């Protein structure tokens, strides 16, 4: 890997840039537009958003105003948690396309396997029907690749009962100190690419003494160390920022390599990041 436009190949043959620009918690309007334009100016060609982020229209406008060829870009969105059945998911896909001003999405994900509102309402069947909606949109050419987010092995096993297309991506939180080895191993064994959201964890990660020492040793920032670690594990990190200097900093990942010892040291970190008490993350 030499640059942001290098790619992984998904299990359906679609190529996806190895780093994406995340937009979670990026306010819609001017803030989102400026952030996305800054990312595109810095060399990002992979932009990740979601219906629940509330900023698809702003992301779409920024992409259009950038003047960059659509064929050079990879745009991802995710399904709203309230749209877990066939009809609702189908309508949600159309709405995302409209809001993003696109005729085709490069990747569309089920955001959560069993959103809290449906957790006691035969969520397994709802999940299967929702996946069928993504499969149909994929076959219709509206989406180039389909996948999931926040899925664990048991959720994949439920999809397997009825799926006709294997998920191509699982987007989960992966960062130093937070490695769900069971889920990671399952996805790797089944040729499902792992995208790492929150690859820089939470604020605690920047004050971790081990990461600070590795950053000093390699003459890099803690953020760059974390993102490089993710890439060397063949994850696809999705760093986000609204600050132009940070956006630019997070692209400087391809002119250094972490040693095997550095990688092992980071792998062994544990408990340096917390997890927000989001109701959709509880008992899922």
């Amino acid at each position: 890997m030499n640059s942001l436009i290098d790619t992984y190949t998904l299990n359906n043959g679609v190529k996806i840039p190895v780093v994406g620009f995340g937009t979670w918690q990026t306010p819609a309007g001017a803030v989102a537009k400026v952030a996305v334009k800054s990312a595109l100016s810095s060399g990002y060609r992979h932009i990740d958003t979601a219906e629940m982020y509330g900023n698809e229209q702003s992301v779409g406008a920024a992409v259009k105003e950038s003047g960059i060829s659509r064929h050079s870009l990879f745009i991802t969105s995710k399904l709203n948690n309230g749209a877990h059945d066939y009809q609702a998911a189908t309508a949600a896909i159309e709405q995302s396309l409209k809001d993003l001003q696109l005729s085709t999405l490069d990747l569309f994900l089920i955001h959560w396997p069993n959103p809290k509102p449906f957790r006691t309402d035969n969520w397994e069947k709802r999940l299967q029907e929702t996946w069928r909606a993504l499969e149909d949109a994929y076959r219709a050419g509206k989406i180039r690749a389909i996948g999931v987010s926040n899925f664990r092995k048991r959720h994949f096993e439920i999809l397997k009962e009825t799926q006709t297309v294997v998920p191509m991506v699982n987007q989960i939180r992966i960062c130093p100190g937070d490695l769900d080895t069971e889920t990671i191993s399952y996805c790797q064994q089944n040729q499902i690419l792992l995208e790492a959201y929150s690859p820089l964890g939470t604020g605690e990660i920047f004050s971790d003494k081990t990461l600070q020492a590795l950053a000093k040793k390699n003459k890099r920032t803690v953020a760059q160390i974390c993102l490089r670690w993710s890439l060397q594990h063949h994850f696809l990190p999705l760093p986000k920022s609204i600050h132009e200097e940070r956006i630019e900093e997070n692209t400087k990942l391809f002119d250094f390599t972490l040693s095997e010892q550095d990688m092992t040291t980071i792998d062994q970190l544990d408990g340096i990041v917390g997890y927000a008490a989001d109701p959709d993350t509880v008992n899922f």
Side-chain angles (χ1 to χ4, degrees):
M1 292 180 287
N2 299 307
S3 73
L4 290 171
I5 61 172
D6 282 357
T7 58
Y8 294 127
T9 301
L10 300 178
N11 62 31
N12 68 337
V14 166
K15 295 186 181 301
I16 180 171
V18 297
V19 179
F21 181 71
T23 61
W24 179 49
Q25 294 182 328
T26 301
V31 174
K33 287 178 67 175
V34 169
V36 171
K37 285 182 177 181
S38 294
L40 293 171
S41 295
S42 295
Y44 284 94
R45 291 297 178 265
H46 176 182
I47 306 296
D48 180 275
T49 184
E51 293 172 354
M52 289 196 298
Y53 298 172
N55 58 21
E56 284 181 310
Q57 290 184 355
S58 303
V59 169
V63 167
K64 187 172 183 179
E65 291 172 15
S66 74
I68 297 171
S69 167
R70 175 67 182 94
H71 298 294
S72 300
L73 299 173
F74 194 100
I75 312 296
T76 298
S77 195
K78 311 176 198 72
L79 184 70
N80 191 300
N81 280 354
H84 269 237
D85 62 41
Y86 183 86
Q87 296 297 335
T90 299
I93 292 167
E94 294 294 338
Q95 189 63 50
S96 280
L97 288 167
K98 179 181 178 182
D99 288 343
L100 287 162
Q101 303 181 57
L102 301 175
S103 59
T104 306
L105 268 162
D106 296 291
L107 177 64
F108 194 76
L109 310 176
I110 296 178
H111 209 144
W112 285 99
N114 55 350
K116 191 175 181 180
F118 305 119
R119 203 161 288 165
T120 59
D121 184 24
N122 197 6
W123 67 266
E124 296 91 344
K125 185 175 187 301
R126 280 183 174 272
L127 177 60
Q128 291 167 345
E129 286 296 293
T130 300
W131 184 249
R132 184 167 66 88
L134 268 66
E135 291 179 329
D136 285 353
Y138 171 65
R139 290 195 180 92
K142 295 178 180 179
I143 308 170
R144 296 177 61 229
I146 53 177
V148 297
S149 182
N150 300 296
F151 272 49
R152 295 175 176 172
K153 179 180 178 180
R154 69 188 187 97
H155 306 122
F156 285 108
E157 294 300 321
I158 290 166
L159 283 191
K160 270 188 177 180
E161 295 174 8
T162 58
Q163 73 186 23
T164 59
V165 177
V166 176
M168 293 137 201
V169 166
N170 187 18
Q171 186 180 123
I172 62 175
R173 192 172 91 155
I174 304 175
C175 63
D178 189 1
L179 276 173
D180 180 351
T181 55
E182 181 182 21
T183 299
I184 288 169
S185 295
Y186 180 89
C187 290
Q188 291 173 336
Q189 290 165 12
N190 288 275
Q191 291 75 55
I192 298 168
L193 179 68
L194 286 151
E195 289 189 333
Y197 72 73
S198 297
L200 306 178
T202 53
E204 296 95 329
I205 209 166
F206 294 101
S207 58
D208 180 77
K209 300 300 184 185
T210 300
L211 291 173
Q212 288 178 348
L214 288 173
K216 183 177 181 180
K217 170 189 169 185
N218 287 277
K219 299 180 180 178
R220 299 288 165 168
T221 66
V222 169
Q224 289 167 338
I225 294 296
C226 293
L227 294 173
R228 183 68 204 183
W229 168 84
S230 191
L231 286 171
Q232 286 183 217
H233 272 305
H234 304 290
F235 306 142
L236 193 160
L238 298 163
K240 58 90 57 179
S241 179
I242 60 172
H243 303 292
E244 187 173 352
E245 66 277 11
R246 298 296 185 198
I247 292 170
E248 179 70 21
E249 172 190 308
N250 291 342
T251 69
K252 309 299 184 184
L253 310 174
F254 302 96
D255 58 349
F256 76 104
T257 301
L258 294 172
S259 69
E260 185 175 340
Q261 181 180 355
D262 289 347
M263 291 291 290
T264 299
T265 297
I266 298 172
D267 289 347
Q268 292 173 345
L269 292 173
D270 187 36
I272 63 172
V273 292
Y275 208 109
D278 187 304
D280 280 315
T281 70
V282 178
N283 297 322
F284 77 96

